[in-house]
Amino acid sequence: MVQERQTQGKAVCWTLRLWSVAVVSMLLLSTCFIVSGIEKMWASCPNHWKSFGSSCYLICTKENFWIISEQNCVQMGAHLVVINTEAEQNFIIQQLNESRTYFLGLSDPQGNGKWQWIDNTPFSQNIRFWHPQEPNLPEEQCASIVYWNPLKWGWNDVFCDNKHYSICQMKKIYL
């Protein structure tokens, strides 16, 4: 009888431990789910801006010079777009009109081949999407993204004082 009670007691204790582990695991998973949901719910972009990763993008519908385009972005709390990955480039080109040219936040102010991003992100050797033979003129000191048939979308150096459309980028707003 005593041995039977000890066996039952051990079984009850083992069952309680299993249930405790299950409950704690469920609470941890629920917490993770809730936290990730809140993070996604509270990260947003302004109206008419497109969301990708941790950034928001706006395709500007008015042509302007490069410096004016950058100033317009800055007035909205943004800057001309900085492309860091192929996935980001692919997302952006889905938003663009193939008949237009768009300024990037990339320039070569001295015309010496030392391209730099507007936000001081290092200009990576392996993240470049120039069209073949581009950049080709030291006088063309601003970069654009343009669709050339049959090459598709790519970067091109252009004169900064030509008017083009542009793409603004800002970090998502977290509330």
Side-chain angles (χ1 to χ4, degrees):
M1 180 89 166
V2 171
Q3 188 175 9
E4 190 176 306
R5 281 188 183 170
Q6 285 178 339
T7 304
Q8 284 179 340
K10 287 181 182 178
V12 168
C13 186
W14 182 247
T15 303
L16 284 173
R17 285 183 185 164
L18 283 175
W19 276 105
S20 296
V21 168
V23 168
V24 168
S25 297
M26 292 297 285
L27 285 172
L28 286 172
L29 285 171
S30 297
T31 302
C32 290
F33 179 75
I34 289 168
V35 167
S36 73
I38 287 172
E39 191 173 293
K40 288 177 185 167
M41 282 191 316
W42 295 105
S44 65
C45 295
N47 285 342
H48 308 293
W49 290 66
K50 303 287 184 180
S51 171
F52 179 79
S54 62
S55 294
C56 305
Y57 303 85
L58 179 69
I59 311 306
C60 298
T61 57
K62 184 178 179 194
E63 292 178 294
N64 245 313
F65 306 119
W66 189 89
I67 192 69
I68 301 297
S69 297
E70 170 60 10
Q71 289 170 356
N72 289 339
C73 291
V74 167
Q75 287 176 352
M76 294 183 280
H79 55 74
L80 284 171
V81 68
V82 173
I83 299 175
N84 294 301
T85 66
E86 186 173 0
E88 184 178 23
Q89 166 106 347
N90 290 337
F91 166 78
I92 290 167
I93 63 177
Q94 291 173 8
Q95 318 303 317
L96 305 180
N97 182 325
E98 292 177 3
S99 66
R100 296 179 175 173
T101 299
Y102 301 85
F103 279 126
L104 302 175
L106 183 61
S107 66
D108 178 14
Q110 307 305 316
N112 59 5
K114 293 183 181 175
W115 291 89
Q116 57 191 35
W117 288 111
I118 194 77
D119 70 347
N120 295 316
T121 297
F123 185 58
S124 175
Q125 295 291 335
N126 56 355
I127 305 295
R128 294 183 178 198
F129 303 103
W130 294 107
H131 277 299
Q133 318 305 288
E134 299 295 339
N136 63 346
L137 292 174
E139 299 83 18
E140 295 179 321
Q141 298 174 348
C142 289
S144 68
I145 186 166
V146 60
Y147 186 89
W148 288 347
N149 200 5
L151 299 173
K152 308 288 184 203
W153 287 99
W155 298 353
N156 179 35
D157 58 336
V158 294
F159 292 103
C160 301
D161 57 359
N162 283 355
K163 287 187 174 184
H164 296 294
Y165 294 91
S166 59
I167 309 161
C168 294
Q169 176 183 10
M170 71 166 59
K171 290 287 182 195
K172 282 185 179 172
I173 301 164
Y174 289 90
L175 303 174

